[in-house]
Amino acid sequence: MDTVKRRLNSTRAQLETVEKELDGWTPKTAQESQCINSFILTLIKELKEFEKLGDEWFGRKIVDHEAEKGRITEIFERINEAREQFKTVLLDRLDRLKPSKIADYKYDLEGEEERHVRRVICTPGTRVRILDDIITWANNTSPGSPDIYWLFGQAGSGKSTIAYSVARRFESAGDPNDMPIVLGGNFFCSRQFEETRLSKCIIRTVVHHLALKCRAFADQLSHADFEAVNQNVRAQLNDLLIAPWQASKPDWCPDPLNPHYLIVIDALDEIDGTGGSEFLRVLLEVIDENENCLQGLKFFVTSRREPNLVRHVNSLKSKQLYHLEEVHPEEAQRDIKTYLMVELPGCEEIENLVALTAGLFIYAATVVKYLAKYEPSEQESVLTTLLASSDSSNLQSLSTGEPFTLLDTLYSQILDRAFRDFSPKEKGWEVRRSILHTFLCTAERTSTSVVADLLFISEDVAKKLLSNLHAVLYCGEHGQVLTYHKSFSDFILDQGRSGNFWCNQAMHHRLLADACFRWMKDGLRFNIANIASSFVLDVDNPMLEDAVEKNIPPVLSYSSRNWSYHLSAAASIIPNGLHDNISDFLRLSALFWMEAMNLLRLRGLCGSMLRTAHDWVISSQVMNAVAVSQSGKQIVSGSDDGSVRVWDASTGDELKVLKGHTNRVTSVAFSPDGKQIIVSGSNDKSVRVWDASTGDELNVLKGNTGLVKSVAFSPDGKQSGSRSLYIRETRSDDHEEHTGWLLSPDGQHRLMFVLPELLLPDASNILTIPRSSCSHVDLAHSALGLQWTQCYHP
């Protein structure tokens, strides 16, 4: 009985405190004012009900009456309903910051996806020294303590696990040894989720978290310019964090018991492009410039080491750095042993495996995943094979400056086992490699079904390969194929590391661009969603969403949304079928594509995607002239942009760009003696000689008074005098009608007859004589009669 009465009195006291707090709240909008007034009126009314119940306490034992119990329940329900309405208004205001919920370290904490992205605490007994160092820094709230702690290290060194442990530690000031510092905000970057790879999302998410933790900051944030959410990082820092935080100081500073706030930002190297490095650079500069303005905030940041950034950080005043590679080898090995003993209990090869990891946490974690699908009775034999195949040279990799040699060996072994049923010369092997490359190269991580459709193969093959690569790839919550760690993608995209498994990105993006155009050509059509009437707005059509899902299959949706992504990264090779695909697309499918994009609610992207196509076509210039080296291994081309380019004939890779011409290049030729010499002629009236192996310009032949239309080498390829190179120069009037006769310099004598149809700008084999001066013509290798046709090689 007394317990119930105490609970009633306690609840009434809490509600009275809330009422006093709200009395000083200044509403920002009419809606907010209405909700606050409604909440206050509800509190006042229900407090009177509590007082009435208290007065009746000694007259009646209210807990004995069901009617009185109902009255108490109804009071709480009415108060809670008013509170929820008020809370919704406040959260709506903060949601204008557009925070990333996925980037919160607590996101889906218990779910399967969280295990895949490795948001877990350090195994107890590991990372003790580094965690103590971070906690000591965070708890030091004296003015001289650095505002920022940057933890950096190579991929797989355990940065994210440490960051997660720190965030968990300071979520609430529950440790009696901690000073009053709590987690104010956090952002965990991850390649798995697009919005966590965007630097512009970081500050607005952190600010959202901080506003929920600090009332004074939230009050000042309401006056901020929320347009800054769409601006650059520096503007967001100044308008959404620094200005509101500084304005909140009068309410925050006087009380020494007010907590300090820790901001944790993890894995900046996962940000797209160079965005992570640029974000950290700006953050460090802003903190350094506004040291006094940010009193009460501390920043813990992790990323890979970037040499230029390290030098920049060293120039700043207030910072603390910790390089994970500086951890003593014995300490790292000891931590890894503890981790492996927890993950592989009873394993007899722990000591050998610890030695093999050489301090690389990602190696240990990958081995654990690799063994996960084997039964305990099988794990020992699999591990024995793994250890036996790792030679002693790998154990020295860290000391020789090649920290990924061990990891490369492990990844190679995993791939070899997954591809073991095929040899690299078989089509099945190549198909599976294309599947692997597509898993890693799609514009967005997608399903095995879409990957198989893009490659026009059976999905069963893609699913089987994914299963065989379970140690490095996994299927996410929505069926998308994801990598456990970025180091695997880095391995596949590095030819020197992955060998036969290497992904030539430019060529694979070309393949995927072709696939997208094929799917759009075959799948797009007029009224693709079978809409019955064009007079009903999309928003008024309740069946539209289902119709779009039914008629635009996932692979067609992917192709429509992402063809420009693959095109922008695709190699431009000779011959270039992509130009034909783009032409067909614009002539036959563009309007249908725009309709599909509108149905997919992405019509706003159409303009930028078409500009991407335009820019790619311009940059990949349709070639004016092409020649093949004597070995057949290289191709040289001349373009409208004045460039001469050398290509690998087998892969399509661009090997060299030879710059020097100032106008379109009309003709190119390789020396026939195999000496890697190139000659090019241009509308800039010059002929240039190049070394194809180095890209060096060897000579510039000037003196022509008109446009150079054709160049060629003599059959022996020598570069001495006029025997080596013959040039046909057209007159300034490019429309002169040619009779077929080549005339002497004075125009009086007919020297040689060549069929007029062979006097084309691209006929690089034609022997010609400049009009500007006398020339010596060597006819030693000429041919007469029908044999002359042997000289012509189009």
Side-chain angles (χ1 to χ4, degrees), residues 667-679:
S667 183
V668 292
F670 258 111
S671 60
D673 57 2
K675 290 186 178 180
Q676 293 286 292
I677 303 299
I678 292 172
V679 65

Side-chain angles (χ1 to χ4, degrees), residues 150-209:
W150 180 26
L151 177 71
F152 57 94
Q154 64 189 21
S157 53
K159 302 183 296 295
S160 292
T161 304
I162 292 172
Y164 183 85
S165 300
V166 171
R168 281 282 300 270
R169 170 64 179 265
F170 290 102
E171 175 60 40
S172 61
D175 194 309
N177 297 318
D178 287 343
M179 295 292 287
I181 182 166
V182 298
L183 183 68
N186 73 95
F187 192 97
F188 276 64
C189 308
S190 173
R191 66 198 172 283
Q192 320 294 17
F193 310 113
E194 182 178 2
E195 66 188 68
T196 70
R197 303 197 309 267
L198 302 175
S199 60
K200 66 182 181 181
C201 291
I202 299 177
I203 293 302
R204 62 197 198 198
T205 300
V206 166
V207 165
H208 183 274
H209 292 170

Side-chain angles (χ1 to χ4, degrees), residues 212-231:
L212 295 176
K213 293 288 183 73
C214 180
R215 166 70 183 277
F217 176 71
D219 287 348
Q220 296 301 325
L221 182 63
S222 63
H223 301 291
D225 180 7
F226 278 67
E227 291 299 319
V229 298
N230 298 315
Q231 297 175 11

